Coordinates of all heavy atoms in Angstrom, one line a residue:
M1 N -163.2 30.2 -109.2 CA -162.0 30.9 -109.3 C -162.3 32.1 -110.2 O -163.0 32.0 -111.2 CB -160.9 30.1 -110.0 CG -160.5 28.9 -109.2 SD -159.7 29.4 -107.6 CE -160.9 28.6 -106.5
N2 N -161.7 33.2 -109.9 CA -161.9 34.4 -110.8 C -160.7 34.5 -111.8 O -159.8 33.8 -111.8 CB -162.0 35.7 -109.9 CG -160.8 36.1 -109.2 OD1 -159.7 35.8 -109.6 ND2 -161.0 36.7 -108.0
E3 N -160.9 35.5 -112.7 CA -159.9 35.6 -113.7 C -158.5 36.0 -113.2 O -157.5 35.6 -113.8 CB -160.4 36.7 -114.7 CG -161.6 36.2 -115.6 CD -161.4 34.9 -116.2 OE1 -160.3 34.7 -116.9 OE2 -162.3 34.0 -116.1
D4 N -158.4 36.7 -112.1 CA -157.1 37.1 -111.5 C -156.4 35.8 -111.1 O -155.2 35.7 -111.3 CB -157.3 38.1 -110.3 CG -157.7 39.4 -110.8 OD1 -157.6 39.8 -112.0 OD2 -158.3 40.2 -109.9
I5 N -157.1 34.9 -110.5 CA -156.5 33.7 -110.0 C -156.1 32.8 -111.2 O -155.0 32.3 -111.2 CB -157.5 32.9 -109.1 CG1 -157.7 33.7 -107.8 CG2 -157.0 31.5 -108.8 CD1 -158.8 33.2 -106.9
R6 N -157.0 32.7 -112.2 CA -156.6 32.0 -113.4 C -155.3 32.5 -114.0 O -154.5 31.8 -114.5 CB -157.8 31.9 -114.3 CG -158.9 31.0 -113.9 CD -160.0 30.9 -114.9 NE -161.0 30.0 -114.5 CZ -162.0 30.4 -113.6 NH1 -162.1 31.6 -113.3 NH2 -162.8 29.5 -113.2
A7 N -155.3 33.9 -114.1 CA -154.1 34.5 -114.7 C -152.9 34.3 -113.9 O -151.8 34.0 -114.4 CB -154.4 36.0 -114.8
A8 N -153.0 34.3 -112.6 CA -151.8 34.0 -111.7 C -151.3 32.6 -111.9 O -150.1 32.3 -111.9 CB -152.2 34.3 -110.2
V9 N -152.3 31.6 -112.0 CA -151.9 30.2 -112.2 C -151.2 30.1 -113.6 O -150.1 29.5 -113.7 CB -153.1 29.3 -112.1 CG1 -152.8 27.9 -112.7 CG2 -153.6 29.2 -110.7
S10 N -151.7 30.7 -114.6 CA -151.1 30.6 -115.9 C -149.7 31.3 -115.9 O -148.7 30.7 -116.5 CB -152.0 31.3 -117.0 OG -153.2 30.6 -117.2
A11 N -149.6 32.4 -115.2 CA -148.3 33.1 -115.1 C -147.3 32.2 -114.3 O -146.1 32.1 -114.7 CB -148.4 34.4 -114.4
R12 N -147.8 31.5 -113.3 CA -146.9 30.7 -112.5 C -146.4 29.5 -113.3 O -145.3 29.1 -113.2 CB -147.6 30.2 -111.2 CG -146.8 29.5 -110.2 CD -145.7 30.3 -109.7 NE -145.1 29.7 -108.5 CZ -144.6 30.3 -107.5 NH1 -144.4 31.6 -107.5 NH2 -144.1 29.6 -106.5
L13 N -147.3 28.9 -114.1 CA -146.9 27.8 -114.9 C -145.8 28.2 -115.9 O -144.8 27.5 -116.0 CB -148.1 27.3 -115.8 CG -149.1 26.4 -115.1 CD1 -150.3 26.2 -116.0 CD2 -148.5 25.1 -114.7
E14 N -145.9 29.4 -116.5 CA -144.9 29.9 -117.4 C -143.6 30.2 -116.6 O -142.5 29.8 -117.1 CB -145.4 31.2 -118.0 CG -144.4 31.7 -119.1 CD -145.0 32.8 -119.9 OE1 -146.2 32.8 -120.2 OE2 -144.2 33.7 -120.3
E15 N -143.7 30.8 -115.4 CA -142.5 31.0 -114.6 C -141.7 29.7 -114.3 O -140.5 29.7 -114.3 CB -142.8 31.7 -113.3 CG -143.3 33.1 -113.3 CD -143.8 33.6 -112.0 OE1 -143.6 32.9 -110.9 OE2 -144.4 34.6 -111.9
K16 N -142.5 28.7 -114.0 CA -141.9 27.4 -113.7 C -141.5 26.6 -114.9 O -141.0 25.5 -114.7 CB -142.8 26.6 -112.8 CG -143.0 27.2 -111.4 CD -144.0 26.3 -110.6 CE -143.7 26.3 -109.1 NZ -142.5 25.6 -108.7
G17 N -141.9 27.1 -116.1 CA -141.6 26.3 -117.3 C -142.4 25.0 -117.4 O -141.9 24.0 -118.0
M18 N -143.6 25.1 -116.8 CA -144.5 23.9 -116.8 C -145.6 24.1 -117.9 O -146.1 25.2 -118.1 CB -145.1 23.7 -115.5 CG -144.2 23.3 -114.3 SD -145.1 23.3 -112.8 CE -146.1 21.8 -113.0
T19 N -146.0 23.0 -118.4 CA -147.2 23.0 -119.3 C -148.4 22.5 -118.4 O -148.2 22.0 -117.3 CB -147.0 22.0 -120.5 OG1 -146.9 20.6 -119.9 CG2 -145.8 22.3 -121.3
R20 N -149.6 22.6 -119.0 CA -150.7 22.1 -118.3 C -150.7 20.6 -118.2 O -151.1 20.1 -117.2 CB -152.0 22.5 -119.1 CG -152.3 24.0 -119.0 CD -153.5 24.4 -119.8 NE -153.7 25.9 -119.6 CZ -154.8 26.5 -120.1 NH1 -155.8 25.8 -120.7 NH2 -154.9 27.8 -119.9
A21 N -150.0 20.0 -119.1 CA -149.9 18.5 -119.0 C -148.9 18.2 -117.9 O -149.2 17.2 -117.1 CB -149.3 17.9 -120.3
D22 N -147.9 19.0 -117.7 CA -147.0 18.8 -116.5 C -147.8 19.0 -115.2 O -147.6 18.2 -114.3 CB -145.8 19.8 -116.5 CG -144.9 19.7 -117.7 OD1 -144.7 18.5 -118.2 OD2 -144.3 20.7 -118.1
L23 N -148.6 20.0 -115.2 CA -149.4 20.2 -114.0 C -150.4 19.1 -113.7 O -150.5 18.7 -112.6 CB -150.1 21.6 -114.1 CG -151.0 22.0 -112.9 CD1 -150.3 22.0 -111.6 CD2 -151.7 23.3 -113.2
A24 N -151.0 18.6 -114.8 CA -151.9 17.5 -114.7 C -151.2 16.3 -114.1 O -151.8 15.6 -113.1 CB -152.5 17.1 -116.0
R25 N -150.0 16.0 -114.5 CA -149.3 14.9 -113.9 C -148.9 15.1 -112.5 O -149.0 14.2 -111.6 CB -148.0 14.6 -114.7 CG -148.2 13.9 -116.0 CD -146.9 13.5 -116.7 NE -146.1 14.6 -117.2 CZ -146.4 15.2 -118.4 NH1 -147.3 14.8 -119.1 NH2 -145.7 16.3 -118.8
A26 N -148.6 16.4 -112.1 CA -148.3 16.7 -110.7 C -149.4 16.5 -109.8 O -149.2 16.3 -108.6 CB -147.7 18.2 -110.7
V27 N -150.7 16.7 -110.3 CA -151.8 16.6 -109.4 C -152.7 15.4 -109.7 O -153.8 15.3 -109.3 CB -152.7 17.9 -109.4 CG1 -151.9 19.1 -108.9 CG2 -153.2 18.2 -110.8
S28 N -152.1 14.5 -110.5 CA -152.8 13.2 -110.8 C -154.2 13.4 -111.5 O -155.2 12.8 -111.1 CB -152.9 12.3 -109.6 OG -151.7 12.0 -109.1
R29 N -154.2 14.3 -112.4 CA -155.4 14.6 -113.2 C -155.1 14.6 -114.7 O -154.0 14.4 -115.1 CB -156.0 16.0 -112.8 CG -156.4 16.1 -111.4 CD -157.6 15.2 -111.1 NE -158.1 15.4 -109.7 CZ -159.2 15.9 -109.4 NH1 -160.1 16.2 -110.3 NH2 -159.6 16.0 -108.1
T30 N -156.1 14.8 -115.5 CA -155.9 14.8 -116.9 C -155.6 16.2 -117.4 O -156.1 17.2 -116.8 CB -157.1 14.2 -117.7 OG1 -158.2 15.1 -117.6 CG2 -157.5 12.8 -117.2
P31 N -154.9 16.4 -118.5 CA -154.7 17.7 -119.0 C -156.0 18.4 -119.4 O -156.1 19.6 -119.2 CB -153.9 17.5 -120.3 CG -153.1 16.2 -120.0 CD -154.1 15.4 -119.2
E32 N -157.0 17.6 -119.8 CA -158.3 18.2 -120.1 C -159.0 18.8 -118.8 O -159.6 19.9 -118.9 CB -159.3 17.1 -120.7 CG -158.8 16.7 -122.0 CD -157.7 15.6 -122.0 OE1 -157.4 15.1 -120.9 OE2 -157.1 15.4 -123.1
E33 N -158.8 18.1 -117.7 CA -159.4 18.7 -116.4 C -158.7 20.0 -116.1 O -159.3 20.9 -115.6 CB -159.2 17.7 -115.3 CG -160.1 16.5 -115.4 CD -159.8 15.5 -114.3 OE1 -158.8 14.8 -114.3 OE2 -160.7 15.3 -113.4
I34 N -157.4 20.0 -116.2 CA -156.6 21.3 -116.0 C -157.1 22.4 -116.9 O -157.3 23.5 -116.4 CB -155.1 21.0 -116.1 CG1 -154.6 20.0 -115.1 CG2 -154.3 22.3 -116.0 CD1 -154.8 20.3 -113.7
S35 N -157.2 22.1 -118.2 CA -157.6 23.1 -119.1 C -159.0 23.6 -118.8 O -159.3 24.8 -118.8 CB -157.6 22.6 -120.5 OG -156.3 22.5 -120.9
R36 N -159.9 22.7 -118.4 CA -161.3 23.1 -118.0 C -161.3 24.0 -116.8 O -162.0 25.0 -116.7 CB -162.2 21.9 -117.8 CG -162.7 21.3 -119.0 CD -163.8 20.3 -118.8 NE -163.5 19.2 -117.9 CZ -163.0 18.0 -118.3 NH1 -162.8 17.8 -119.5 NH2 -162.6 17.1 -117.4
A37 N -160.4 23.7 -115.8 CA -160.3 24.5 -114.6 C -159.7 25.9 -114.9 O -160.3 26.9 -114.5 CB -159.4 23.8 -113.6
I38 N -158.7 25.9 -115.7 CA -158.0 27.2 -116.0 C -158.9 28.1 -116.9 O -158.9 29.3 -116.8 CB -156.6 27.0 -116.6 CG1 -155.7 26.4 -115.5 CG2 -156.0 28.3 -117.1 CD1 -154.3 26.0 -115.9
N39 N -159.6 27.4 -117.9 CA -160.4 28.1 -118.8 C -161.8 28.4 -118.3 O -162.6 29.0 -119.0 CB -160.5 27.4 -120.1 CG -159.2 27.2 -120.8 OD1 -158.3 28.0 -120.6 ND2 -159.1 26.2 -121.7
N40 N -162.1 28.0 -117.1 CA -163.4 28.2 -116.5 C -164.6 27.5 -117.3 O -165.6 28.1 -117.5 CB -163.7 29.7 -116.2 CG -164.9 29.9 -115.3 OD1 -165.2 29.0 -114.5 ND2 -165.6 31.0 -115.5
T41 N -164.3 26.3 -117.7 CA -165.4 25.6 -118.5 C -165.8 24.4 -117.8 O -166.5 23.6 -118.3 CB -164.9 25.2 -119.9 OG1 -163.7 24.4 -119.8 CG2 -164.6 26.5 -120.7
G42 N -165.5 24.3 -116.5 CA -165.9 23.1 -115.7 C -167.3 23.2 -115.1 O -167.9 22.2 -114.7
G43 N -167.9 24.4 -115.1 CA -169.2 24.6 -114.6 C -169.5 24.4 -113.1 O -170.6 24.2 -112.7
R44 N -168.4 24.5 -112.3 CA -168.6 24.2 -110.9 C -168.7 25.4 -110.0 O -169.1 25.3 -108.9 CB -167.5 23.2 -110.4 CG -167.7 21.9 -111.0 CD -167.0 20.8 -110.3 NE -167.2 20.9 -108.8 CZ -166.6 20.2 -108.0 NH1 -165.8 19.2 -108.4 NH2 -166.8 20.3 -106.7
G45 N -168.2 26.5 -110.4 CA -168.2 27.8 -109.6 C -168.4 27.7 -108.1 O -168.6 26.6 -107.6
G46 N -168.4 28.7 -107.4 CA -168.6 28.7 -106.0 C -167.4 28.3 -105.2 O -166.4 29.0 -105.2
K47 N -167.5 27.2 -104.5 CA -166.4 26.8 -103.6 C -165.2 26.4 -104.4 O -165.2 26.1 -105.6 CB -166.8 25.6 -102.7 CG -167.0 24.3 -103.4 CD -167.3 23.2 -102.5 CE -167.3 21.8 -103.1 NZ -166.0 21.3 -103.2
I48 N -164.0 26.3 -103.7 CA -162.8 25.9 -104.3 C -162.8 24.3 -104.5 O -162.8 23.6 -103.5 CB -161.6 26.3 -103.5 CG1 -161.5 27.8 -103.4 CG2 -160.3 25.8 -104.2 CD1 -160.5 28.3 -102.4
P49 N -162.9 23.9 -105.7 CA -163.0 22.4 -106.0 C -161.6 21.8 -105.6 O -160.6 22.4 -105.5 CB -163.2 22.3 -107.5 CG -163.6 23.6 -107.9 CD -163.1 24.6 -107.0
D50 N -161.7 20.5 -105.3 CA -160.5 19.7 -105.0 C -159.4 19.9 -106.0 O -158.2 20.0 -105.6 CB -160.8 18.2 -104.8 CG -161.7 17.9 -103.6 OD1 -161.8 18.8 -102.7 OD2 -162.3 16.9 -103.6
L51 N -159.8 20.0 -107.3 CA -158.8 20.2 -108.3 C -158.0 21.5 -108.1 O -156.8 21.5 -108.2 CB -159.4 20.1 -109.7 CG -158.5 20.4 -110.9 CD1 -157.3 19.5 -110.9 CD2 -159.2 20.3 -112.2
W52 N -158.8 22.6 -107.8 CA -158.1 23.8 -107.6 C -157.2 23.8 -106.4 O -156.1 24.4 -106.4 CB -159.1 25.0 -107.6 CG -159.3 25.5 -108.9 CD1 -160.4 25.4 -109.7 CD2 -158.4 26.3 -109.7 NE1 -160.3 26.0 -110.9 CE2 -159.0 26.6 -110.9 CE3 -157.1 26.8 -109.5 CZ2 -158.4 27.3 -111.9 CZ3 -156.5 27.5 -110.5 CH2 -157.1 27.8 -111.7
A53 N -157.6 23.2 -105.4 CA -156.8 23.0 -104.2 C -155.5 22.3 -104.5 O -154.4 22.8 -104.1 CB -157.5 22.3 -103.1
A54 N -155.5 21.3 -105.3 CA -154.3 20.6 -105.8 C -153.5 21.4 -106.7 O -152.2 21.4 -106.6 CB -154.7 19.3 -106.5
I55 N -154.1 22.2 -107.6 CA -153.3 23.0 -108.5 C -152.5 24.1 -107.7 O -151.3 24.3 -107.9 CB -154.3 23.8 -109.5 CG1 -154.8 22.8 -110.5 CG2 -153.5 24.9 -110.2 CD1 -155.9 23.3 -111.4
L56 N -153.2 24.7 -106.8 CA -152.6 25.8 -106.0 C -151.4 25.2 -105.1 O -150.4 25.8 -105.0 CB -153.6 26.5 -105.1 CG -154.7 27.3 -105.9 CD1 -155.7 27.8 -104.9 CD2 -154.0 28.4 -106.7
E57 N -151.7 24.0 -104.6 CA -150.6 23.4 -103.8 C -149.4 23.0 -104.6 O -148.3 23.2 -104.2 CB -151.2 22.1 -103.1 CG -150.2 21.4 -102.2 CD -149.8 22.3 -101.0 OE1 -150.6 23.1 -100.5 OE2 -148.7 22.1 -100.5
A58 N -149.7 22.5 -105.8 CA -148.6 22.1 -106.7 C -147.7 23.2 -107.2 O -146.5 23.1 -107.4 CB -149.1 21.3 -107.9
L59 N -148.4 24.4 -107.3 CA -147.7 25.6 -107.7 C -147.2 26.5 -106.6 O -146.7 27.6 -106.8 CB -148.6 26.4 -108.7 CG -148.9 25.7 -109.9 CD1 -149.9 26.5 -110.7 CD2 -147.7 25.4 -110.8
D60 N -147.4 26.0 -105.3 CA -147.0 26.8 -104.1 C -147.7 28.2 -104.1 O -147.0 29.2 -103.9 CB -145.5 26.9 -104.0 CG -145.1 27.3 -102.6 OD1 -145.9 27.1 -101.6 OD2 -144.0 27.9 -102.4
L61 N -149.0 28.2 -104.4 CA -149.7 29.4 -104.4 C -150.8 29.3 -103.3 O -151.3 28.3 -103.0 CB -150.5 29.7 -105.7 CG -149.6 30.0 -106.9 CD1 -150.4 30.0 -108.2 CD2 -148.9 31.3 -106.8
R62 N -151.1 30.5 -102.7 CA -152.1 30.5 -101.6 C -153.2 31.6 -102.0 O -152.8 32.6 -102.5 CB -151.5 30.9 -100.3 CG -150.4 29.9 -99.8 CD -151.0 28.5 -99.5 NE -150.0 27.6 -99.2 CZ -149.5 26.7 -100.1 NH1 -150.0 26.6 -101.3 NH2 -148.6 25.8 -99.7
L63 N -154.4 31.2 -101.7 CA -155.5 32.2 -101.9 C -155.5 33.1 -100.6 O -155.4 32.6 -99.5 CB -156.8 31.5 -102.1 CG -157.0 30.7 -103.3 CD1 -158.4 30.1 -103.3 CD2 -156.9 31.6 -104.5
T64 N -155.7 34.4 -100.8 CA -155.9 35.2 -99.7 C -157.1 36.1 -99.9 O -157.5 36.3 -101.0 CB -154.6 36.1 -99.4 OG1 -154.4 36.9 -100.6 CG2 -153.4 35.3 -99.2
V65 N -157.7 36.6 -98.8 CA -158.8 37.5 -98.9 C -158.3 38.8 -98.3 O -157.7 38.9 -97.3 CB -160.0 37.0 -98.0 CG1 -161.1 37.9 -98.0 CG2 -160.4 35.6 -98.5
E66 N -158.6 39.9 -99.1 CA -158.3 41.2 -98.7 C -159.5 42.2 -98.8 O -160.3 41.9 -99.7 CB -157.2 41.8 -99.6 CG -155.9 41.0 -99.6 CD -154.9 41.4 -100.7 OE1 -155.1 42.5 -101.3 OE2 -153.9 40.8 -100.8
P67 N -159.5 43.2 -98.1 CA -160.6 44.2 -98.2 C -160.5 44.7 -99.7 O -159.5 44.9 -100.2 CB -160.3 45.3 -97.2 CG -159.4 44.6 -96.2 CD -158.6 43.6 -97.0
G68 N -161.7 45.0 -100.2 CA -161.8 45.6 -101.5 C -161.4 47.1 -101.5 O -160.9 47.6 -100.6
Q69 N -161.8 47.7 -102.6 CA -161.5 49.1 -102.8 C -162.0 50.0 -101.7 O -161.4 51.0 -101.4 CB -162.2 49.5 -104.1 CG -162.2 51.0 -104.5 CD -162.9 51.3 -105.7 OE1 -163.4 50.4 -106.4 NE2 -163.0 52.6 -106.1
F70 N -163.2 49.6 -101.1 CA -163.8 50.5 -100.1 C -163.5 50.1 -98.6 O -164.0 50.6 -97.7 CB -165.3 50.6 -100.3 CG -165.6 51.1 -101.7 CD1 -166.3 50.3 -102.6 CD2 -165.3 52.4 -102.1 CE1 -166.6 50.7 -103.8 CE2 -165.6 52.8 -103.3 CZ -166.2 52.0 -104.2
G71 N -162.6 49.1 -98.4 CA -162.2 48.7 -97.1 C -163.3 47.9 -96.4 O -164.1 47.2 -97.0
E72 N -163.2 47.9 -95.1 CA -164.1 47.0 -94.3 C -165.6 47.2 -94.5 O -166.3 46.3 -94.4 CB -163.7 47.1 -92.8 CG -162.3 46.6 -92.5 CD -162.0 46.7 -91.1 OE1 -162.8 47.2 -90.3 OE2 -160.9 46.3 -90.7
G73 N -166.0 48.4 -94.6 CA -167.4 48.7 -94.6 C -168.1 48.3 -95.9 O -169.3 48.1 -96.0
G74 N -167.3 48.2 -97.0 CA -167.8 47.8 -98.3 C -168.6 48.9 -99.0 O -169.2 48.7 -100.1
K75 N -168.6 50.1 -98.5 CA -169.3 51.2 -99.1 C -168.4 52.4 -99.3 O -167.4 52.6 -98.5 CB -170.5 51.6 -98.3 CG -171.6 50.5 -98.2 CD -172.8 51.0 -97.5 CE -173.8 49.9 -97.4 NZ -175.0 50.3 -96.6
A76 N -168.7 53.2 -100.2 CA -167.8 54.4 -100.5 C -168.0 55.4 -99.4 O -169.0 55.5 -98.7 CB -168.2 55.1 -101.8

């Protein structure tokens, strides 16, 4: 997960009035696991781990892919 996604999750928690402990209960995980995921200290990088899939589902968030700054070609 990148920092934008982590920020969106943190903002959504605040919008919903939820704590990380509330989120942990919602996805049947520990608050420590949630904090590691949000703080990027889990060391798993790369694919979307099951925990992140559960977090996004619990918060009704979806990941999307969009062209970057330079569009489809990827070059200026």
Side-chain angles (χ1 to χ4, degrees):
M1 295 298 117
N2 66 30
E3 291 308 311
D4 291 338
I5 294 169
R6 287 185 177 85
V9 167
S10 293
R12 186 66 165 206
L13 281 171
E14 189 172 321
E15 286 172 15
K16 290 179 150 288
M18 292 176 72
T19 65
R20 290 179 179 188
D22 295 330
L23 179 56
R25 282 188 291 278
V27 298
S28 301
R29 298 295 183 115
T30 67
E32 293 80 13
E33 288 176 290
I34 298 299
S35 288
R36 281 194 301 269
I38 292 174
N39 295 337
N40 193 27
T41 56
R44 291 202 42 188
K47 74 177 188 80
I48 299 172
D50 292 341
L51 175 55
W52 269 106
I55 288 170
L56 297 173
E57 184 64 32
L59 297 175
D60 194 27
L61 292 171
R62 300 292 173 261
L63 293 179
T64 60
V65 178
E66 300 175 7
Q69 172 183 357
F70 302 114
E72 293 179 0
K75 296 182 182 179

